Structure formats: C-alpha cells, structure tokens
Amino acid sequence: MSSSPPPPVGRLAPSPTGLLHLGHARSFLLAWWHSRARGGRILLRIEDLDAGRVRPGLTRELLADLAWLGLDWDGEPLVQSRDTAALRAAADELLLRGLAYPCTCSRRDVELAASAPHPEDGETRYPGTCRGRYASVAAAERESGRPAGVRFRVPDGKVLWRDELRGLSRHDPAREVGDFLVARRDGAYAYQLAVVVDDARQGVTEVLRGDDLAPSTARQLLLQRALGLPHPRWLHVPLVVDEDGRRLAKRHGDVALASLRAEGTDPRAVVAWAARTAGQSAPDRLTPAELLPRFDLARLPLSPVPLAAATLAQLRAARP
Ligand code: GLU
Ligand code: ZN
C-alpha cells in the first residue's frame, strides 16, 4: 500500500487592528495558493486578542476583503478572543513547570531598566528583573500591589530553524528580546503564545507569512518545544514596500483593500499583480483559483516587492 503524505494545512491569520492592504493580500494569496495547489486545506483565524488595538468593525472588513479577493477557507474561522481556555492552560502549565514566571514590571519599568532598545526592530530587551522574584502570580500581585503578567524564561543561546524558502535561519531570542510575555498584565494572552497554541489546536502544518515575523519564529519554536507541540513548516515571504523601501503600513491609506473595493477596482487585477510579483506567469486579470494548476512557489523572488506609484495607480484604475 502506498501512503502519500497527508495534505498540508495552511492558515490565514489576520488581526483586526488595521485595514488589510496590498501587502497582506499578497501574503494571503501566497499562503492560499501554496496550500490549495497541493490539495491542502486553508484555515482562517482572527487574531483579536489585543483588545487595546482591535477596532470594532474591522473583522467584518477583513472578511469582506478576503471574499472580494476570491479567497475561501475551510470550516468556521477561529476567533481567538472567543475561547482563551487553551491559552490559559498553556500559560498555567509553563508557570507550574517553572518555564515561566510572574512579572509585575510596567512597560516603562522595562524601558528604564534595559540598556537600549534593540536597534533593528525597536524591541526592548527584558533584563530579567522578575526572574526568581515571586513564588506565584498571587504572591507577585500581593507583594507588588500591581497586576502581574507572565514571562517565558528564554534559554540562552542561538535558535536554529529551517525556513522552507530561505534555508537555515538563526536568531538569538535571549539577546534580542530576553524573557518575553506570554500573558500581559492587562490579562490578555500574548501573540507568541496564542499563535503556538492555536496553530497546534487547529492542526496547522504550514505557516506562510510575511518575513517581518521571522524573528518571532525562534520564540515560537522555543514555546512549542516547552509545551511539547509540533513545529509546523515555516515559509517567510518578502514584504511589499513603498518607493522609499518602507514596508506598507497604515500611513499608506490608499493601499487598503477596503479603499480599492469601495472604488470599484477589479480584484482580479490585484490577484494578477500578486501572482506576477511572485514570479508566476499570469494574464493581467486572474482569479486565485485560475492560478492553481500552474502555481510554483519555487519561482518566488526572495527580495522585497516595491510597489511603484504608477503600479498602484494602474491597479486602482482597473475596472471589471
Ligand atoms: N496576526 C498576525 C499579524 O497580522 C500574523 C500572525 C502569524 O501569521 O503568525 O501580523
Ligand atoms: Zn518584571
């Protein structure tokens, strides 16, 4: 009996903290193509745990954006904020096993204690102030009179992991960020923990996302190891940048998919742009499904994708 490998399970994991833009569209299309082209599943997860940054109504917008692009997904979306029991269990397990500890430092405490913000990504390294300081979360809160968060105890040393696109990658979380939060002082579970727990419980086997998250992968690998969870395959794709080489962000309001939708842009022009900038041969209008028979991720260029003003103008003017 021949056994073929089980079909891959990919995912789209948008956060309703800002409007999705052309860069998100390209990463999501790539994740969708990469999974679907091999008969795989694609799941949707709404990453809405950061209550301070989540904006009402944006989940509806992003669902409309995905549908507009022609992307579908399998099953019901997992909305992270609706069920945090698994996150609580994971944080408790780390605490119980001494792999995490309570921290009562405010953001300002951390900034004052740290030598300098990490130059590359503006992250501040946590200097370990509360390591070994408190016996339990309850004791931490009682003794400090403040709410406590929970930090993962990052082992010293470099973390090596394999990116399916870029090969061997190495990061040094102990030096880059130090012990990082898995639960925040406001009670919200942190992104790093949520990704790891939810990828595992959704059965995700492939994580294809923007390469701004590559340094997070080492942290997620450490958490997976600590919690005994499987490692997915990782693929980090280059970001879309503006003419000055800066990654697309909220300040580029005109690249929001919601604006293009409202203007009546043909989404097939956006899909064709995403395909061509990913090295695929494509006509100038395309649905995601039309590319499936010939999608080849090996053709993806591994450098940032500049979005010239002229290209953006052309996309915006495309009418069905
Ligand atoms: N929700 C995250 C974001 O929008 C992506 C998480 C991930 O792909 O791991 O930046
Ligand atoms: Zn602390």
Side-chain angles (χ1 to χ4, degrees), residues 108-194:
R108 185 161 164 72
D109 293 336
V110 176
E111 275 159 15
L112 288 175
S115 38
H118 189 248
E120 278 144 49
D121 49 17
E123 282 179 304
T124 306
R125 180 180 177 280
Y126 180 70
T129 319
C130 296
R131 257 198 197 209
R133 189 175 183 188
Y134 303 114
S136 65
V137 171
E141 295 188 336
R142 201 174 50 239
E143 287 165 32
S144 68
R146 298 164 148 197
V150 177
R151 283 187 189 272
F152 179 64
R153 192 185 284 272
V154 174
D156 280 334
K158 290 202 169 63
V159 175
L160 296 179
W161 52 279
R162 203 179 119 70
D163 187 292
E164 302 290 328
L165 296 170
R166 295 170 189 274
L168 196 62
S169 304
R170 76 190 70 218
H171 287 94
D172 194 339
R175 293 188 55 175
E176 288 163 20
V177 285
D179 299 341
F180 56 83
L181 287 168
V182 291
R184 300 188 331 198
R185 293 175 68 227
D186 64 5
Y189 293 98
Y191 158 72
Q192 305 292 358
L193 182 72

Side-chain angles (χ1 to χ4, degrees), residues 11 13-15 24 45 47 191 195 199 207-209 213 220:
R11 44 69 152 188
S15 298
H24 295 112
R45 185 167 72 228
E47 303 214 317
Y191 158 72
V195 164
D199 278 340
V207 170
L208 185 153
R209 58 187 174 193
L213 287 171
Q220 292 166 16

Side-chain angles (χ1 to χ4, degrees), residues 9-317:
V9 181
R11 44 69 152 188
L12 311 175
S15 298
T17 52
L19 291 172
L20 296 187
H21 54 57
L22 287 166
H24 295 112
R26 184 172 180 277
S27 297
F28 289 157
L29 283 160
L30 286 168
W32 192 91
W33 280 322
H34 184 55
S35 188
R36 288 275 194 248
R38 290 167 303 143
R41 289 158 51 78
I42 191 102
L43 308 177
L44 176 62
R45 185 167 72 228
I46 309 294
E47 303 214 317
D48 62 346
L49 289 176
D50 192 348
R53 292 179 57 227
V54 166
R55 286 171 32 212
L58 284 186
T59 296
R60 208 175 47 234
E61 292 291 333
L62 73 85
L63 292 173
D65 290 337
L66 296 175
W68 177 74
L69 284 169
L71 295 179
D72 65 353
W73 53 88
D74 297 299
E76 285 300 307
L78 187 152
V79 181
Q80 280 185 325
S81 64
R82 285 201 193 141
D83 175 15
T84 53
L87 303 180
R88 175 184 311 270
D92 285 350
E93 182 189 336
L94 293 173
L95 279 167
L96 198 70
R97 292 170 50 211
L99 300 175
Y101 58 86
C103 167
T104 54
C105 299
S106 65
R107 188 176 296 238
R108 185 161 164 72
D109 293 336
V110 176
E111 275 159 15
L112 288 175
S115 38
H118 189 248
E120 278 144 49
D121 49 17
E123 282 179 304
T124 306
R125 180 180 177 280
Y126 180 70
T129 319
C130 296
R131 257 198 197 209
R133 189 175 183 188
Y134 303 114
S136 65
V137 171
E141 295 188 336
R142 201 174 50 239
E143 287 165 32
S144 68
R146 298 164 148 197
V150 177
R151 283 187 189 272
F152 179 64
R153 192 185 284 272
V154 174
D156 280 334
K158 290 202 169 63
V159 175
L160 296 179
W161 52 279
R162 203 179 119 70
D163 187 292
E164 302 290 328
L165 296 170
R166 295 170 189 274
L168 196 62
S169 304
R170 76 190 70 218
H171 287 94
D172 194 339
R175 293 188 55 175
E176 288 163 20
V177 285
D179 299 341
F180 56 83
L181 287 168
V182 291
R184 300 188 331 198
R185 293 175 68 227
D186 64 5
Y189 293 98
Y191 158 72
Q192 305 292 358
L193 182 72
V195 164
V196 158
V197 170
D198 286 341
D199 278 340
R201 70 171 163 154
Q202 289 189 285
V204 168
T205 62
E206 304 202 343
V207 170
L208 185 153
R209 58 187 174 193
D211 65 13
D212 53 328
L213 287 171
S216 284
T217 298
R219 300 169 215 171
Q220 292 166 16
L221 180 147
L222 291 174
L223 283 176
Q224 283 155 354
R225 203 177 270 165
L227 291 164
L229 300 174
H231 304 305
R233 291 151 70 93
W234 286 290
L235 305 94
H236 291 89
V237 300
L239 297 182
V240 178
V241 295
D242 68 11
E243 287 181 318
D244 301 322
R246 297 179 307 174
R247 62 193 256 209
L248 296 191
K250 277 184 208 139
R251 64 177 175 273
H252 304 94
D254 52 352
V255 295
L257 302 181
S259 326
L260 298 175
R261 260 194 295 129
E263 287 168 15
T265 298
D266 186 349
R268 297 176 311 146
V270 173
V271 173
W273 162 80
R276 287 174 167 180
T277 59
Q280 316 294 309
S281 68
D284 59 8
R285 304 290 170 101
L286 184 75
T287 65
E290 282 165 356
L291 187 67
L292 286 179
R294 56 179 192 280
F295 179 72
D296 180 5
L297 192 66
R299 299 214 186 101
L300 180 78
L302 292 181
S303 43
V305 183
L307 179 63
T311 308
L312 177 59
Q314 256 173 24
L315 287 178
R316 293 176 66 176

